[in-house]
Amino acid sequence: MKETALERALNRDRAIVAAALALVLLASWIYVLTGAGMDMSAFAMSSVDMALGRSDPSKSGTGGEIVAMSNAMSRMAMPVAWTGGYAILMFFMWWIMMIAMMLPSAAPMVLLFAKIARSPSAGINVSTAHWNTAAFTLGYLLCWAAFSIVAVALQRAFEALGILSPMMLNSTNALFAGSILVLAGLYQMTPLKKACLEHCRSPIAFLSQNWRDGLGGALVMGLQHGVYCLGCCWGLMAILFFGGIMNLYWIVGLAMIVFLEKLLPIGPRLGQITGVLLLAWGATFFYSALV
């Protein structure tokens, strides 16, 4: 069957949106991998032992020695001066990292929005449909900007309490580490998490029930979707305080968990299984701290 001019336009539009998302993702990952403005690259701030919370210097092997060394370096490191410039640097570190981690799982929703926005039934001027899609995506990313502001405030507080390394950005206290894992595990099994995940897994239902006209409407829809996504994933993102905010093992691992939860048929069950595992893991840190 011969492709009509409208179908060709729709296909070209989806390709443009997909290319734009890929470009944003590529730039975000490059920023994260090169250290997000820090003095060290993400590779230098990543290790399996730190990701697993193995901070005991008595651990044998090269990994344990590395962690013991990094902990010693952290203790010797001068406290970070939280100037306005440093706070802004940390904000962009968190926000761009969230974009790199969350945008892949949000891409199906953005692409579906772009397809509907270009269809005649949407009542949107075809020449401005790109801007509506950009506004929807911006709304989604602004939610993660708000999350990043809270994360920076928590990072500063945890560093001031001495339970987060100012150098490697990982937990330095067993009770703190266990608390993070237990909190994340418990939230994975709450009705709120389940409800938010259901919205994120149903882009057609979300768009049909929440459609708004105009650029402002697209921005509000993006904000709404971002709130659901934030409600679904904030507990998992908190784990970055456990194994290192810039630890690539957790950055990539959490991005994959979020992606699978949202897109696989067994996503909800996977979330519950992850919750049980996090609870059990967190309990081991409480046990090690108390015996």
Side-chain angles (χ1 to χ4, degrees):
M1 183 179 296
K2 189 175 181 180
E3 191 177 44
T4 65
L6 176 60
E7 289 172 335
R8 286 196 297 273
L10 292 176
N11 289 332
R12 185 187 62 181
D13 184 71
R14 286 197 295 272
I16 292 174
V17 173
L21 291 177
L23 187 62
V24 172
L25 271 176
L26 178 63
S28 300
W29 275 106
I30 290 175
Y31 185 75
V32 171
L33 293 176
T34 54
M38 307 277 283
D39 293 334
M40 293 186 290
S41 71
F43 297 101
M45 289 188 279
S46 303
S47 79
V48 173
D49 292 277
M50 191 169 69
L52 297 177
R54 294 173 184 167
S55 57
D56 186 351
S58 65
K59 297 285 185 183
S60 61
T62 304
E65 292 169 0
I66 292 174
V67 173
M69 184 182 300
S70 68
N71 282 347
M73 292 170 66
S74 297
R75 287 192 294 271
M76 291 185 293
M78 295 292 291
V80 175
W82 274 84
T83 62
Y86 185 76
I88 292 173
L89 178 68
M90 291 297 99
F91 165 74
F92 280 105
M93 179 192 75
W94 274 99
W95 190 28
I96 295 177
M97 183 167 63
M98 290 300 105
I99 293 173
M101 294 173 70
M102 302 306 302
L103 203 52
S105 61
M109 179 74 82
V110 176
L111 291 173
L112 182 60
F113 179 92
K115 180 179 180 180
I116 295 175
R118 290 277 293 187
S119 64
S121 59
I124 298 175
N125 189 325
V126 173
S127 62
T128 63
H130 284 116
W131 292 111
N132 286 63
T133 303
F136 178 83
T137 307
L138 176 62
Y140 176 78
L141 298 181
L142 285 177
C143 277
W144 286 104
F147 168 84
S148 299
I149 293 173
V150 176
V152 171
L154 289 174
Q155 180 184 338
R156 180 176 184 178
F158 293 151
E159 287 186 14
L161 291 171
I163 54 179
L164 187 77
S165 165
M167 183 174 182
M168 303 305 289
L169 306 180
N170 65 308
S171 168
T172 58
N173 179 281
L175 287 177
F176 179 53
S179 299
I180 295 172
L181 295 176
V182 168
L183 175 65
L186 286 174
Y187 188 72
Q188 285 289 95
M189 295 181 285
T190 61
L192 180 58
K193 158 79 181 192
K194 182 180 178 182
C196 290
L197 180 59
E198 187 174 339
H199 278 281
C200 293
R201 289 172 54 84
S202 308
I204 295 177
F206 172 80
L207 293 176
S208 62
Q209 295 170 6
N210 299 280
W211 189 265
R212 296 166 185 259
D213 295 331
L215 276 176
L219 182 65
V220 171
M221 289 174 65
L223 287 168
Q224 286 179 312
H225 178 53
V227 169
Y228 284 125
C229 191
L230 191 55
C232 174
C233 303
W234 72 264
L236 290 173
M237 295 302 111
I239 298 176
L240 291 169
F241 286 117
F242 162 75
I245 296 171
M246 286 292 290
N247 195 324
L248 287 174
Y249 290 99
W250 275 116
I251 293 174
V252 175
L254 290 172
M256 290 182 64
I257 291 173
V258 169
F259 188 85
L260 295 176
E261 276 189 355
K262 290 184 178 180
L263 299 181
L264 284 187
I266 62 167
R269 180 62 58 88
L270 176 63
Q272 293 180 334
I273 293 173
T274 305
V276 172
L277 293 176
L278 289 172
L279 276 175
W281 193 12
T284 66
F285 282 89
F286 285 126
Y287 178 79
S288 65
L290 298 175
V291 297

